[in-house]
Amino acid sequence: MIKHALILSTIASMALFANDEIDELKKQIAQLQQHLSAIEQTQKLNAQKELNDKVAAVNRSGSSFNQSAFLPDMSFILDTSAVSRNMKNSDYETYSMPGFTEAPTDGEEPEIPFNKDRGFNFNYAEVALHSVVDPYFDADVIFHIRSDALEIEEAFVTTRELPYGLRVKAGKFRSGFGRINAIHQHAWNFTSQPLVYEALIGVEGINSAGIQMQWIAPTDTYLMIGAEAMQKLTPESPNEENNLYIGYIKSSVDVGDTSILGGVSLAHSKYFEDETASIINDSDIYGLELTIKTFLDSYSSITLQSELLSRTQKTATGDVTQAGMYGELVYKINTNYSTGVRYDSLYKNLYNQPDDLKRYTAILEYKPFEFSKIRLQFTHDKSKEFNGKRNDINEVLLGITIEAGAHGAHAF
Amino acid sequence: MKITVLITMLLSVALFAKVNVAATYNYLGEITKEVGGNNVKVVVLASPKFDPHFIVPKPSLLPKIHNADMLVLNGAGVEIGWLPPLLKRANNSHVISGAIGFVDASLVINLLDKPMSVSRAYGDVHPEGNPHFSLDPHNIIPIAMLIAKKLQAIDSKNSDKYQSNLDGFISKWNSFLTQFDADMQECKTKKVVQYHELYRYILGRYNIGSIGTVEPLPGVSPSSKHTIELINKMKENGVNIIMQDVYHERKTAKFIASKSNSKVRIIPHDVGSVDGADSLENLYNIIRDRLCH
């Protein structure tokens, strides 16, 4: 009986205490709820205030459609020079390279793109734009502005995401044929184009509308194969249909601090046999290139670069082959100075034409900084004919070239 | 039977296939090796002997980028003179800017000396700030974390492995830092001159005063006027150490040293720049020894 009573009272007291604890907890919960709603209230007020401030701050908006973050990279390049030459301008403009190029006929503008005049030359201003278009394409446009013309030097799209090491370029562009063709004048080691390019291809180089595909082999050694279909070889080429096909293979290895880059190229095209007969025939240009560059330190290097071009044209009387080469040695002394010599030779010509057309060029370049260069160039030219007579040209050129703005770094 | 063997071989090749990582500089390659362990194969593009700004975009570097699953770069503009033309020609969409495999270390660093205004009139300024953050050993861990995160994204099946490599590296590096920070205390009162603002981050970290640079403007060769001003400034401030990198000419620094009673110290900027700097730890240890003793 007592036991029962004890147990009952224990249970009753437990229930009592438990009730007390629960009341306590309930109180605490109520307090916490109060806290929470107070915090929530403050937050609400703050948010409301922020919103009010935000709305109040908006007066007029002119920047809703601002796209300046998407502006393309833009740069401009200027090239100007002073030239001293042992020939009057009116005589110089009549030059030809016997067997290779013809003198301009009466009334025709001479095709000399750079440093034509004795005295001062403003060669060109270039505006280069580059932008990522979307996840799939990059785009580049280069406007070439001369005193009397605005030309589109290049304008092309390039793929970003093709698989299997492929990249396709389409538009108007400089062909990847040979070593120097794709490089713009302002990045050449000398201010003048190698003779063999002017003689066999033309002053513009291979630059036409077309499509290019380049493939990089998944090997440890660099191996690149390129194929291009383009509209035409030169502005004068026949244009009834696209008629220029180009292919090249390039590879490179390093030996210590020396890089060796070599390649073979082929450009197959149609050309006019002669204007009177209007015969269109095939022409093949073969190119061999070799560049050896030794790095002496971060700022100093020795570069040996050479190209050999050979052109075979089919004529009514059989194949005719003409060829030439250039070799240059450039010593980059430090960040500021470099110097170089170049030898040009057109050594194979039509059977009754001279095959001793040569030119010697020496250059001294001073770069105050990466984006400007002042060049002093000496030329002794034995490749030209004026009014039907061969004459040697001696020329001294002082030029300045600048690259300003957002200009992408140059390739090797 | 033959087929089974062949299939097993092919599968095992796939299983053991490593993540190919191209790193622009040696120190990034070293961090990647620590985090990637046996699961990555690392190639480094730039030679540590040369000026990191002026690496030549040699065609032989193209296959290294072409074959990479991931490209780790310093960023903040150091590679702008040589990496973009390579990336353009390497035809590898996995590592172009914007791809998951494009890993810019500068994005996890608080860059110092971000210029208020930018003009080429001030020489080779980096609009992003000073990009030579690798010379502060405290910046290594964030980079390791970023590399680990990217490796986990690219090679998710080895995610745990990368995490444990990272954890191991972080604890190892933290104990290195404790010792290094203690060692650097004795260096605090030093005042130095640098050739270029290359050592900005380590000098700032340990409160070492940098009084000036041998070059008058970033990327501009020394001039006699600036050199004379610098010598006077060094005498006024009692500077006795000229921090010279491995790749610039040393003539000017030696001349300044002879006129200002100071010493030229060749300070490495990357793993492998000088003999003995064969690991991350040794790189910083050599910097400490040459700077403080």
Side-chain angles (χ1 to χ4, degrees):
Chain A
M1 189 61 209
I2 293 169
K3 251 186 188 174
H4 267 275
L6 262 175
I7 289 169
L8 275 172
S9 62
T10 316
I11 289 173
S13 61
M14 269 172 74
L16 268 175
F17 282 123
N19 272 339
D20 275 0
E21 271 180 26
I22 286 167
D23 286 346
E24 188 61 29
L25 280 173
K26 276 184 180 162
K27 248 189 227 165
Q28 282 181 4
I29 287 169
Q31 274 173 2
L32 282 173
Q33 267 170 348
Q34 257 176 11
H35 265 293
L36 199 64
S37 54
I39 289 169
E40 273 173 354
Q41 193 59 31
T42 336
Q43 268 181 351
K44 253 187 211 165
L45 282 173
N46 282 345
Q48 188 61 45
K49 190 176 172 295
E50 248 173 59
L51 185 60
N52 289 344
D53 289 353
K54 212 172 182 176
V55 173
V58 176
N59 190 6
R60 296 187 194 201
S61 162
S63 60
S64 298
F65 307 115
N66 188 348
Q67 300 205 52
S68 59
F70 299 107
L71 277 182
D73 291 341
M74 185 167 90
S75 61
F76 59 93
I77 294 139
L78 302 180
D79 187 272
T80 187
S81 72
V83 171
S84 161
R85 190 184 284 136
N86 64 337
M87 186 173 281
K88 285 192 299 187
N89 286 338
S90 58
D91 288 336
Y92 184 71
E93 284 171 7
T94 67
Y95 86 68
S96 65
M97 287 185 268
F100 289 94
T101 64
E102 283 171 13
T105 48
D106 279 343
E108 199 183 16
E109 273 286 301
E111 223 188 324
I112 308 171
F114 311 120
N115 308 311
K116 180 167 76 76
D117 291 336
R118 192 151 78 161
F120 296 103
N121 293 276
F122 172 71
N123 286 323
Y124 59 83
E126 245 173 40
V127 177
L129 305 173
H130 167 81
S131 184
V132 174
V133 179
D134 57 26
Y136 313 105
F137 294 107
D138 278 349
D140 288 86
V141 183
I142 295 138
F143 298 103
H144 189 84
I145 306 159
R146 291 182 293 162
S147 42
D148 56 351
L150 185 137
E151 294 165 346
I152 294 179
E153 169 85 3
E154 292 192 277
F156 55 83
V157 294
T158 318
T159 58
R160 288 167 63 81
E161 297 219 320
L162 282 193
Y164 311 118
L166 293 169
R167 182 166 53 110
V168 170
K169 188 189 263 193
K172 180 180 190 284
F173 56 89
R174 302 182 73 94
S175 166
F177 178 98
R179 178 75 176 108
I180 209 171
N181 192 75
I183 301 174
H184 290 155
Q185 196 256 358
H186 70 92
W188 292 349
N189 292 332
F190 296 81
T191 64
S192 48
Q193 188 187 25
L195 267 191
V196 65
Y197 270 87
E198 184 179 346
L200 295 182
I201 293 167
V203 289
E204 305 281 343
I206 306 177
N207 179 354
S208 165
I211 187 159
Q212 174 192 74
M213 185 157 85
Q214 291 189 346
W215 175 71
I216 292 195
T219 49
D220 288 340
T221 305
Y222 174 65
L223 177 72
M224 189 269 279
I225 297 177
E228 296 167 3
M230 297 180 97
Q231 191 63 17
K232 51 186 178 174
L233 187 63
T234 66
E236 296 75 39
S237 301
N239 196 28
E240 294 300 338
E241 58 181 352
N242 61 304
N243 58 31
L244 176 60
Y245 301 94
I246 294 165
Y248 39 84
I249 300 178
K250 300 182 188 200
S251 183
S252 176
V253 288
D254 284 358
V255 183
D257 285 328
T258 299
S259 275
I260 301 164
L261 170 69
V264 289
S265 304
L266 167 67
H268 173 78
S269 71
K270 310 268 187 191
Y271 79 109
F272 269 116
E273 163 66 1
D274 68 63
E275 281 175 10
T276 46
S278 283
I279 306 166
I280 297 171
N281 260 328
D282 288 354
S283 152
D284 287 308
I285 303 174
Y286 301 91
L288 261 182
E289 57 172 289
L290 180 69
T291 305
I292 302 171
K293 193 167 194 155
T294 298
F295 307 99
L296 306 173
D297 61 42
S298 281
Y299 318 105
S300 177
S301 62
I302 295 173
T303 307
L304 184 72
Q305 180 177 318
S306 184
E307 281 191 82
L308 190 151
L309 264 61
S310 168
R311 180 179 68 186
T312 301
Q313 296 178 317
K314 288 190 169 47
T315 70
T317 53
D319 288 0
V320 178
T321 299
Q322 289 167 291
M325 60 79 70
Y326 74 91
E328 61 187 45
L329 182 69
V330 176
Y331 173 36
K332 188 166 179 285
I333 303 162
N334 53 36
T335 11
N336 299 124
Y337 288 98
S338 68
T339 180
V341 286
R342 181 174 66 185
Y343 169 69
D344 278 285
S345 167
L346 302 173
Y347 61 85
K348 190 163 186 180
N349 208 339
L350 306 177
Y351 93 101
N352 56 354
Q353 295 288 348
D355 56 6
D356 61 343
L357 306 176
K358 294 180 196 322
R359 187 177 65 183
Y360 306 87
T361 317
I363 196 163
L364 179 67
E365 181 180 287
Y366 170 65
K367 289 176 96 164
F369 200 59
E370 278 167 70
F371 307 107
S372 53
K373 54 188 172 195
I374 297 163
R375 309 202 267 195
L376 182 64
Q377 181 175 286
F378 303 90
T379 309
H380 179 64
D381 190 350
K382 300 163 79 73
S383 69
K384 307 281 194 294
E385 202 175 76
F386 303 87
N387 302 317
K389 232 181 82 202
R390 282 182 69 184
N391 265 112
D392 290 0
I393 296 284
N394 290 310
E395 183 186 282
V396 182
L397 176 147
L398 181 65
I400 180 162
T401 310
I402 61 115
E403 294 163 22
H407 191 71
H410 289 127
F412 182 72
Chain B
M1 183 61 201
K2 259 187 190 166
I3 291 174
T4 328
V5 171
L6 195 70
I7 289 172
T8 341
M9 274 176 64
L10 280 173
L11 277 177
S12 59
V13 167
L15 271 174
F16 295 115
K18 293 188 173 190
V19 180
N20 287 308
V21 181
T24 54
Y25 303 112
N26 260 350
Y27 85 94
L28 294 167
E30 291 298 312
I31 302 172
T32 311
K33 282 182 206 160
E34 295 276 359
V35 177
N38 296 325
N39 298 90
V40 301
K41 187 168 167 276
V42 178
V43 289
V44 174
L45 303 177
S47 160
K49 288 191 298 182
F50 290 148
D51 185 337
H53 306 82
F54 291 94
I55 302 303
V56 176
K58 297 186 288 189
S60 59
L61 298 178
L62 286 166
K64 293 179 177 166
I65 299 175
H66 179 71
N67 297 327
D69 304 302
M70 184 168 134
L71 172 70
V72 187
L73 64 151
N74 185 94
V78 190
E79 292 103 340
I80 198 150
W82 61 276
L83 192 58
L86 289 172
L87 271 179
K88 204 162 142 186
R89 283 166 182 76
N91 300 4
N92 182 354
S93 59
H94 298 114
V95 298
I96 56 172
S97 166
I100 187 83
F102 180 88
V103 184
D104 182 338
S106 70
L107 297 180
V108 293
I109 305 292
N110 291 323
L111 296 179
L112 303 176
D113 302 339
K114 186 176 160 61
M116 296 294 282
S117 74
V118 174
S119 165
R120 295 242 164 94
Y122 316 142
D124 244 337
V125 288
H126 294 276
E128 303 88 344
N130 186 318
H132 305 296
F133 50 79
S134 65
L135 293 171
D136 175 3
H138 285 265
N139 284 333
I140 296 300
I141 287 175
I143 300 172
M145 288 166 68
L146 176 69
I147 292 172
K149 190 189 122 179
K150 290 286 194 164
L151 282 172
Q152 286 173 326
I154 288 168
D155 182 23
S156 53
K157 65 179 187 302
N158 289 312
S159 190
D160 295 345
K161 187 81 198 309
Y162 297 127
Q163 191 58 50
S164 70
N165 289 347
L166 176 68
D167 294 343
F169 176 68
I170 288 178
S171 75
K172 180 178 92 168
W173 198 253
N174 275 328
S175 55
F176 171 77
L177 285 177
T178 313
Q179 183 59 45
F180 193 80
D181 288 352
D183 293 347
M184 288 302 287
Q185 288 310 308
E186 59 181 290
C187 231
K188 243 181 173 172
T189 52
K190 296 254 183 213
K191 283 179 184 167
V192 299
V193 156
Q194 317 170 58
Y195 188 99
H196 174 77
E197 283 284 357
L198 182 62
Y199 309 103
R200 166 72 179 88
Y201 286 80
I202 193 165
L203 298 177
R205 169 75 58 188
Y206 300 106
N207 293 317
I208 300 164
S210 176
I211 301 306
T213 56
V214 173
E215 56 179 16
L217 290 170
V220 174
S221 307
S223 66
S224 52
K225 179 168 167 274
H226 176 77
T227 300
I228 289 171
E229 284 170 4
L230 187 66
I231 291 169
N232 291 333
K233 218 168 159 189
M234 286 170 70
K235 283 180 184 162
E236 279 167 31
N237 287 283
V239 175
N240 53 16
I241 287 180
I242 302 169
M243 298 176 82
Q244 169 80 35
D245 53 60
V246 298
Y247 44 82
H248 276 110
E249 52 86 21
R250 294 171 193 182
K251 225 170 49 211
T252 316
K254 279 180 184 159
F255 172 78
I256 295 171
S258 72
K259 298 286 173 197
S260 62
N261 196 25
S262 54
K263 289 193 180 72
V264 180
R265 295 274 167 82
I266 308 292
I267 312 283
H269 66 287
D270 197 1
V271 174
S273 285
V274 300
D275 286 345
D278 51 3
S279 67
L280 284 168
E281 286 93 337
N282 286 339
L283 167 67
Y284 298 110
N285 286 337
I286 286 183
I287 295 176
R288 178 200 59 207
D289 292 347
R290 295 191 179 179
L291 184 58
C292 301
H293 301 136

